[in-house]
Structures are given as structure tokens and as C-alpha cells.
Amino acid sequence: MYFAALLARTEDGWEASDTELDDVETLSDLTDLAREASVDEDTVLVFIEQEDAWFGVIRVDGEEDPRIYISDASAAARSSYGEILLTDELLGREPGAEDSIAALEELVSLDGTEDGEPDHATDNQTDHDDNDDNGLDADAVPTGPLGDTGILSDLGLPEKELLMLRTEALVEIADALGAAEVLETVR
């Protein structure tokens, strides 16, 4: 089960709204959604939580690039919403590397036979399969926290405390920001 909410900072404090992520397919879509909730380009936080597995915080300040923190990247990688947050940049990959790897894997799997011909692997193909990228997994996602651990430091939640959060994390974050009551209205 997922929970997602937006917290927008205003002159009067924080305003919360729950948000549907059904139409969100990319980080850019999520960033646009946050900017629409912004008042005078103030800070907007997007919270995403998968019950007892992981949580993510996306911070959008005006037109700046979004800042992202994910509590457990490997758990998020197994989630459709988590995959939105796990960008190539966040994972330290070359942009588009995943597309290139998929294209290369598709080429490697081509055996040169026509439809209906028997599929006989050559010695070279067998050797390649045994070495399978020298044991490196290009799609590996680190276990544990990933991203900007200082994302909430200036708002009242130091890095050390953020890294210690596990269950009920969004409640604790909202409490540290002084937004617990407004978050509770949309929970």
C-alpha cells in the first residue's frame, strides 16, 4: 500500500494535500505536479511511502532541480513509484545507459538464425554466456539510503535523524517540520 502527499510551504505555514500518482510516469511529471502546488515558488515536498518497505522525499524549490532522498533504494527499485525516483543521475549512471544496455542485450541474444531454423550456439556464444559481463550487474541498485541526506536539514530535520527513520517516517518528518497536523488531515 502506498501513501503520497504534497506539503507546500506558505507564509502561513505548511499546506498538505494528498496526491494521486496514477498519471505520474517520470520524475519530470512529479516535479511539475509539485510546482503546480507551489505558492510563490516556495518549497514543496512530495512524500511517497510504501508501507514498511521504503519512503522517499522529493524537494522542489522554485525552478531548481528536484532534490531526492530514498530510504532504501533496493526496495524502491521493486516499486513502480520508486523507479520514478531512481534516475540515472541518482544512481550514478550515464543518462540513457539502461536503454543502451537493453539494446546490447537484445543484440547479443540474436543468434543469426532465420525463423524455423534450429538454434545452435557457437563456441563464442557459449564462452560469452559463461563470462556474463565479468560478474558486474549494470542494473544493481544499492541497498539502503540513497540521495540527498541533507534535503531537510534547513527545515529542521538533520541528516543523522533522517538516516535513522524507518517506520512511520513521514509522520516523524512532518513533526520535525511543524506540519504533523496538516499531514494528518490528508493521511
Side-chain angles (χ1 to χ4, degrees):
M1 173 141 191
Y2 289 95
F3 170 73
L6 287 168
L7 275 182
R9 189 160 69 177
T10 68
E11 289 178 3
D12 301 325
W14 292 96
E15 290 182 6
S17 59
D18 61 342
T19 188
E20 272 301 318
L21 298 179
D22 293 342
D23 296 331
V24 174
E25 295 179 9
T26 65
L27 180 59
S28 181
D29 293 343
L30 191 57
T31 303
D32 291 344
L33 186 69
R35 286 191 177 119
E36 288 171 12
S38 176
V39 177
D40 298 325
E41 296 190 5
D42 280 333
T43 299
V44 176
L45 302 173
V46 180
F47 294 135
I48 301 174
E49 179 180 59
Q50 183 179 7
E51 194 171 282
D52 296 330
W54 67 277
F55 70 90
V57 179
I58 303 88
R59 179 176 175 163
V60 178
D61 293 301
E63 292 300 316
E64 293 180 28
D65 287 341
R67 296 167 58 190
I68 302 168
Y69 172 79
I70 301 170
S71 66
D72 187 340
S74 63
R78 295 184 297 269
S79 155
S80 58
Y81 296 127
E83 287 180 347
I84 292 170
L85 306 180
L86 292 169
T87 63
D88 287 337
E89 182 181 350
L90 191 64
L91 292 169
R93 296 179 184 157
E94 288 290 321
E98 199 169 287
D99 295 336
S100 299
I101 290 167
L104 288 173
E105 286 174 349
E106 187 175 314
L107 286 175
V108 169
S109 70
L110 296 177
D111 60 10
T113 60
E114 304 236 356
D115 287 340
E117 286 184 24
D119 181 13
H120 300 289
T122 65
D123 289 339
N124 289 343
Q125 288 171 322
T126 305
D127 288 345
H128 173 75
D129 292 343
D130 292 342
N131 292 332
D132 200 21
D133 296 332
N134 299 323
L136 298 176
D137 184 2
D139 293 327
V141 175
T143 301
L146 184 66
D148 185 349
T149 57
I151 192 169
L152 301 171
S153 293
D154 65 323
L155 299 174
L157 188 68
E159 291 179 42
K160 185 177 177 182
E161 290 181 32
L162 180 64
L163 289 168
M164 292 173 37
L165 296 177
R166 296 290 172 251
T167 58
E168 297 297 318
L170 300 186
V171 172
E172 292 185 41
I173 291 170
D175 189 43
L177 302 177
E181 289 181 22
V182 293
L183 182 64
E184 191 58 37
T185 63
V186 297
R187 206 145 173 56

